[in-house]
Amino acid sequence: PAAILRSRDRGAIWDVVPVPFRMGGNEDGRGVGERLAIDPNDTAILYFASRHDGLQRSLDHGRTWSRVESFPLPGRGPPAGRATNTGLSFVVFDPASGGRGRPSQRLFVGSADAAQGDHLFRSDDGGTTWRAVAGQPRRGLLPVKAQIDDRGVLYIAYSNGTGPNGVTDGAVWRLDGRTGAWRDLTPESEATWLLALAQ
């Protein structure tokens, strides 16, 4: 069982809100995220990228939660006879896509579930419809963390596992949310640098 704690008076008093999804706070992949995101243009809207139960949303400041049925990955449920999976890894709002009383319209959600084909999804209509982002980095890389700048450019850290153990490869990519253009920002590895010196 899981819960979210919320305060309406800047932390003086807290309410405990049981939620209908599991978190797996000590399972593999516990360092991904942020899984919980609040729309900066409408703080009544929260999303949670869950481990087993798909994309979750609250429209009342976290009082009640429900699965986003239109999201392409509904979750695989709790593990039964299989290893756990990390599931969805992050939710990022693009604040520039809303404002002046209008919720953010552009959102990005990462999936660090290696069993799934696509790993980055976007909505351009406030979470009503979703689609896989075209041109994603090579298979085998999972998006584990992301941040967006004020120009709508998303920066994503990828790895070939979700840790805390067994990660041997990774990459950093940026995606222009307005044009859809990708760019590899991965620093050269020490092995590549040493190889270049040897030549």
Side-chain angles (χ1 to χ4, degrees):
I4 287 178
L5 278 66
R6 57 189 293 272
S7 175
R8 292 169 288 177
D9 55 11
R10 297 180 181 271
I13 299 171
W14 292 87
D15 299 325
V16 178
V17 180
V19 294
F21 47 88
R22 292 161 291 279
M23 295 187 187
N26 200 37
E27 296 179 30
D28 285 349
R30 55 190 174 269
V32 306
E34 295 290 328
R35 291 183 188 268
L36 178 65
I38 303 170
D39 187 345
N41 291 308
D42 185 343
T43 57
I45 301 172
L46 290 79
Y47 280 82
F48 189 87
S50 82
R51 180 180 290 273
H52 305 302
D53 303 294
L55 184 62
Q56 302 283 328
R57 176 171 53 203
S58 173
L59 301 175
D60 57 6
H61 302 277
R63 258 187 226 97
T64 60
W65 293 84
S66 61
R67 187 195 320 256
V68 179
E69 299 297 339
S70 61
F71 189 73
L73 304 180
R76 295 196 283 155
R82 63 171 168 81
T84 188
N85 61 287
T86 303
L88 304 182
S89 48
F90 58 76
V91 179
V92 175
F93 288 93
D94 181 356
S97 65
R100 296 187 181 183
R102 182 172 178 249
S104 301
Q105 296 301 295
R106 187 175 302 114
L107 296 87
F108 295 93
V109 174
S111 169
D113 185 349
Q116 304 292 340
D118 292 306
H119 295 290
L120 185 65
F121 299 85
R122 70 182 288 165
S123 174
D124 292 298
D125 54 13
T128 301
T129 61
W130 297 85
R131 71 180 190 278
V133 176
Q136 298 185 35
R138 62 182 161 85
R139 300 281 179 182
L141 289 179
L142 306 171
V144 292
K145 293 185 179 287
Q147 292 289 328
I148 198 164
D149 68 15
D150 57 6
R151 300 166 299 157
V153 176
L154 188 69
Y155 295 85
I156 309 168
Y158 284 86
S159 72
N160 65 342
T162 57
N165 305 301
V167 176
T168 59
D169 192 14
V172 179
W173 283 77
R174 57 169 275 175
L175 169 68
D176 189 320
R178 295 176 179 135
T179 67
W182 286 90
R183 182 176 164 200
D184 187 353
L185 304 177
T186 309
E188 289 187 1
S189 69
E190 182 179 357
T192 303
W193 184 71
L194 290 173
L195 182 62
L197 283 178
Q199 292 177 346

